[in-house]
Amino acid sequence: MTEPKAGYEFDYADVAETPGYEHGDEPLCNLSPNPTFYDVVDARTSRRGFLIGGLSAAVTGVFGLGLTVPPASAQTAARAGSSLLGFTPVPISEADAIVVPNGYRVQVLAPLGTPLAKAGPAYRDGADTGADQELQIGSHHDAIHYFPIDGSSTDGLLVINHEYVEPRMLHASYRGRPQRESAVEIANDRRVADEVLKEINAHGVSIVRIGRGADGNWAVVDDRRNRRITGRTPIAISGPVRGTRHVVTKYSPDGTRTRGTLNNCAHGVTPWNTYLTAEENWAGYFRNADQKDQKPSLPREHARYGVVAGGRSRYAWELAAGGADEYVRFDASSRGASAAEDYRNEPNAFGWMVEIDPYDPGSTPVKRTHLGRFAHEGVVFAPAVQGRPVVCYSGDDSRFEYIYKFVSAKPYDRATADGSLLDEGTLYAAKFNADGTGEWLALAPGRNGLTPAEGFADLADILVNTRLAADKAGATKMDRPEWGAVDPKTGEVYFTLTNNTSRTEAQVDPVNPRARNQFGQIVRWTEEGGDHAAARFRWELFVIAGPASQSRTLGGGSLGNDNLFACPDGIWFDADARLWIQTDIGESEQNRGDLAVMGNNAMLAADPRTGEIRRFLTGPKGQEITGVITTPDQRTMFVNVQHPGATTSAEDFGAGRFVSNWPDGGTAMPRSATVVITRIDGGKIGA
Ligand code: FEO
Ligand code: CA
Ligand code: CA
């Protein structure tokens, strides 16, 4: 039996570490021969005159000596230059609280278990049933978006992704005994069916109307559009994979539909104002016992993504007592006489971007397969231009995976645009060259070696096996691509690369310049001719995160007390082109070792022109800050706090000592929630 890994490592299941399947099984890109960090950084920053006090670390060994550039010295100079950031930075924090700058206030909204309707089941501190959970806000809030009603900044639909669950915090019956973060209770090889139902219903997406009251506080408001999309909601399959052999299952013998969306991390908003939810670390939710390990013959569409070979899946949903079809499907073993009689193809129905129309409660969500199948962190759209293709970007968050771009075949027409634009076009993977140029490699039949002779039968086969196609095309293996954002003023595209401690010296390249990268970096690029559909781009590193001795800002200095951060994850541009940066230092690293100086996970704001960065918010213990949006008037901001208290040890859990009691306080079990941030003077957030 494969014992799931704990916490951070498990959240980011890495195919390279899946038993029996090593990263070396896939051809590595042609990485540059072992340059030092500053060799490659200097190669990519000299255009902007990056300096680090005139020192060349390649000569002085700055990293090894831990040389400290005086904290805040760089920002002191930069602060005067930025008119975009109008707040006083908050300090690093290890408190079990949300801390925001002077002049701001914070309200908690819609924690796990909040009923979608006043008449709905009120939260019962983990005693809630599986059926209750389907009528309540889910767990592990991640991406967030505010869809205004009639353009309002005080009345809108809030859409929240629910990435995963901690069973020990979801089920009251688990309390009082030592429980690890990801542990589930299995007796006689079975799980309690209602626990499984509750966990599946705590995943997915929440859509709730919210409004601001006379007292300035926001609350969930009854509305016919309030609904949950969960790990079991019927969902249509669209695009080139629809109706193909890859997605034939007992539930859908014609391969046109599936049930549920899982591990919903970040998101995207389409130019036609619908919501796309990403399926990130979905592979571990399935097991395939056809082989004891992933070699020699677990199907490549399972193996390349890390579907669990043998053993049980992440939450062992396939073991739900009673053997209902909707639970058995998490066993992707070949059990029937054909694919139409079992769930060997169920994992192929996951790993997509899923389109949801929040304004139409009767609409069926749609998996848009032309955007590729991988550990989708999220997706970000370039501004749509009338008569031009629709373009969006998406990262595959696993170590050594890729950044992708989709360009629609049909032009955007604001009068008729809808999700069908995402069903026809070309998917590309990014190749970053050492000279600061980059190119988009088409993942399409006959292009870049993607031929039947090379194992790619057709477009559907390429898309189901997107990672393998990008391997074949020669894309650049990145340090865990997370969120992307497009600068509304310049069109520059930003992506966070959160960390990659598996990268060796021999695998260092200019865009991923550090071996054993614990701290992450942010890359940005401009498409050739300012055209998002272009085949080439120019890139540079916006910031290299980490402690003072190992960081590099756009201005050439290092990060300091006002802005030290690591593991950038969420990023988002507000309408003024303020770049908001959110951090996700993993549970096993938070407040420990080299990451201890960073404190709790936080949110910062950056000026993309000057490169100045200031810490805006620090979160409670054990959580990550993820997801950010404002109302159209920019006077209310919504931010998610995911998995507070996740760093609680099994023993402390058993003793009722939670690392965090946020947001309820006292001795309460912590819960993921949204926070609402406003200024006491009613001004724009961040200004
Ligand atoms: Fe769900 Fe890559 O963060
Ligand atoms: Ca994330
Ligand atoms: Ca995360």
Side-chain angles (χ1 to χ4, degrees):
M1 176 169 284
T2 307
E3 180 62 20
K5 290 183 287 184
Y8 164 76
E9 292 294 332
F10 189 73
D11 293 347
Y12 299 102
D14 177 5
V15 69
E17 296 190 354
T18 303
Y21 190 90
E22 291 162 9
H23 187 70
D25 289 352
E26 296 303 327
L28 280 171
C29 287
N30 183 19
L31 303 170
S32 35
N34 199 24
T36 68
F37 172 69
Y38 283 129
D39 284 343
V40 291
V41 171
D42 287 346
R44 284 308 317 126
T45 55
S46 55
R47 280 189 298 123
R48 300 195 65 99
F50 274 49
L51 290 171
I52 182 160
L55 297 174
S56 162
V59 175
T60 60
V62 170
F63 281 16
L65 296 174
L67 178 70
T68 311
V69 174
S73 60
Q75 304 104 44
T76 307
R79 195 177 301 166
S82 175
S83 56
L84 204 52
L85 308 180
F87 60 91
T88 304
V90 300
I92 286 163
S93 169
E94 293 187 10
D96 191 32
I98 302 275
V99 179
V100 289
N102 290 333
Y104 284 80
R105 66 186 287 265
V106 171
Q107 178 213 336
V108 174
L109 179 71
L112 162 73
T114 304
L116 300 192
K118 284 193 182 65
Y123 180 61
R124 291 189 287 137
D125 192 22
D128 318 69
T129 65
D132 291 341
Q133 181 64 74
E134 193 169 17
L135 301 171
Q136 299 171 331
I137 297 284
S139 195
H140 285 59
H141 301 38
D142 202 307
I144 194 164
H145 193 71
Y146 175 88
F147 288 89
I149 293 174
D150 298 328
S152 175
S153 286
T154 57
D155 181 19
L157 298 175
L158 198 65
V159 184
I160 301 169
N161 277 358
H162 301 292
E163 189 174 27
Y164 63 101
V165 298
E166 267 184 74
R168 63 181 181 171
M169 295 193 183
L170 204 57
H171 308 305
S173 60
Y174 279 36
R175 297 183 195 171
R177 292 185 299 286
Q179 304 276 6
R180 285 196 306 117
E181 182 189 2
S182 56
V184 294
E185 295 193 341
I186 299 173
N188 301 319
D189 214 29
R190 285 288 171 266
R191 291 208 58 205
V192 174
D194 198 62
E195 288 179 10
V196 171
L197 178 63
K198 188 174 174 185
E199 290 163 21
I200 293 174
N201 282 342
H203 282 73
V205 178
S206 292
I207 301 165
V208 284
R209 185 173 181 174
I210 55 168
R212 194 179 74 190
D215 60 357
N217 285 330
W218 290 72
V220 171
V221 176
D222 278 3
D223 194 89
R224 66 181 182 84
R225 289 161 290 199
N226 290 3
R227 68 165 160 161
R228 285 297 319 282
I229 289 152
T230 72
R232 54 199 284 274
T233 302
I235 297 186
I237 296 171
S238 190
V241 178
R242 177 184 172 87
T244 66
R245 62 182 171 83
H246 304 281
V247 283
V248 166
T249 63
K250 188 175 172 188
Y251 174 75
S252 182
D254 64 356
T256 58
R257 61 194 190 122
T258 188
R259 282 166 290 192
T261 181
L262 291 171
N263 209 266
N264 303 94
C265 191
H267 73 306
V269 179
T270 64
W272 46 96
N273 214 26
T274 60
Y275 185 89
L276 286 172
T277 185
E279 299 182 329
E280 191 193 13
N281 293 312
W282 50 272
Y285 290 71
F286 299 94
R287 57 96 76 158
N288 181 341
D290 287 351
Q291 300 291 327
K292 280 206 276 298
D293 58 40
Q294 295 204 329
K295 287 189 281 195
S297 61
L298 206 65
R300 64 180 186 169
E301 65 272 21
H302 293 185
R304 183 66 177 83
Y305 295 92
V307 168
V308 179
R312 65 163 178 86
S313 69
R314 176 173 182 169
Y315 298 118
W317 290 341
E318 69 278 7
L319 298 182
D325 187 70
E326 67 174 308
Y327 307 135
V328 166
R329 67 186 166 116
F330 294 100
D331 182 349
S333 309
S334 301
R335 297 145 54 101
S338 73
E341 293 167 68
D342 63 24
Y343 288 100
R344 69 189 67 176
N345 287 333
E346 189 74 353
N348 298 350
F350 289 80
W352 308 106
M353 293 297 316
V354 185
E355 186 175 17
I356 297 166
D357 183 352
Y359 292 103
D360 180 1
S363 59
T364 301
V366 181
K367 300 209 177 189
R368 297 289 177 192
T369 61
H370 215 146
L371 302 189
R373 176 171 175 258
F374 43 90
H376 275 284
E377 175 73 17
V379 67
V380 61
F381 283 79
V385 179
Q386 184 73 13
R388 298 287 302 149
V390 168
V391 178
C392 57
Y393 302 89
S394 185
D396 182 354
D397 180 12
S398 199
R399 300 180 188 98
F400 303 106
E401 295 299 342
Y402 307 116
I403 293 174
Y404 296 88
K405 164 166 108 170
F406 173 82
V407 180
S408 72
K410 293 199 179 112
Y412 174 72
D413 174 359
R414 72 176 65 83
T416 61
D418 65 20
S420 66
L421 282 167
L422 304 178
D423 287 343
E424 224 181 306
T426 305
L427 184 67
Y428 299 86
K431 180 165 189 271
F432 293 81
N433 299 319
D435 64 357
T437 65
E439 51 203 291
W440 292 106
L441 308 169
L443 306 181
R447 311 272 302 269
N448 295 304
L450 302 175
T451 62
E454 294 292 338
F456 298 93
D458 54 21
L459 180 56
D461 200 21
I462 289 169
L463 293 170
V464 167
N465 296 290
T466 301
R467 283 181 170 175
L468 286 163
D471 290 344
K472 179 72 186 170
T476 300
K477 295 178 184 299
M478 310 297 283
D479 285 346
R480 296 186 49 202
E482 302 256 21
W483 291 48
V486 178
D487 187 323
K489 308 273 194 210
T490 66
E492 282 175 296
V493 187
Y494 288 62
F495 260 79
T496 51
L497 301 166
T498 196
N499 60 54
N500 180 358
T501 51
S502 298
R503 188 175 292 275
T504 65
E505 295 286 356
Q507 292 170 315
V508 160
D509 66 18
V511 70
N512 303 283
R514 283 186 289 205
R516 296 171 297 284
N517 178 9
Q518 295 175 282
F519 308 114
Q521 65 267 21
I522 299 176
V523 62
R524 70 178 180 185
W525 66 84
T526 305
E527 299 281 4
E528 193 169 75
D531 175 8
H532 284 278
R536 298 181 63 79
F537 58 92
R538 291 199 66 86
W539 67 270
E540 65 185 353
L541 293 175
F542 176 67
V543 60
I544 297 167
S549 61
Q550 302 193 33
S551 56
R552 190 75 73 93
T553 64
L554 195 66
S558 59
L559 297 172
N561 288 339
D562 292 347
N563 57 12
L564 270 188
F565 75 97
C567 307
D569 188 343
I571 46 168
W572 176 70
F573 273 108
D574 67 23
D576 296 336
R578 231 172 256 107
L579 180 65
W580 296 89
I581 302 168
Q582 304 177 312
T583 72
D584 180 13
I585 300 166
E587 283 95 287
S588 61
E589 316 289 330
Q590 275 180 44
N591 310 110
R592 291 187 197 180
D594 294 341
L595 277 303
V597 294
M598 303 295 168
N600 296 346
N601 279 311
M603 181 167 76
L604 307 96
D607 181 329
R609 248 56 74 195
T610 66
E612 187 195 348
I613 302 173
R614 288 187 203 172
R615 191 179 303 101
F616 178 82
L617 173 153
T618 55
K621 294 182 177 179
Q623 53 73 47
E624 70 174 274
I625 297 293
T626 179
V628 50
I629 187 70
T630 65
T631 49
D633 66 6
Q634 298 179 252
R635 277 148 169 93
T636 303
M637 174 179 273
F638 303 95
V639 171
N640 280 334
V641 177
Q642 186 185 115
H643 61 72
T647 47
T648 302
S649 70
E651 294 67 33
D652 281 349
F653 182 88
R657 291 188 300 266
F658 312 126
V659 160
S660 171
N661 305 104
W662 190 90
D664 301 303
T667 58
M669 180 76 69
R671 294 193 271 172
S672 297
T674 299
V675 293
V676 185
I677 300 163
T678 49
R679 266 171 67 168
I680 291 166
D681 67 3
K684 274 190 187 180
I685 308 301

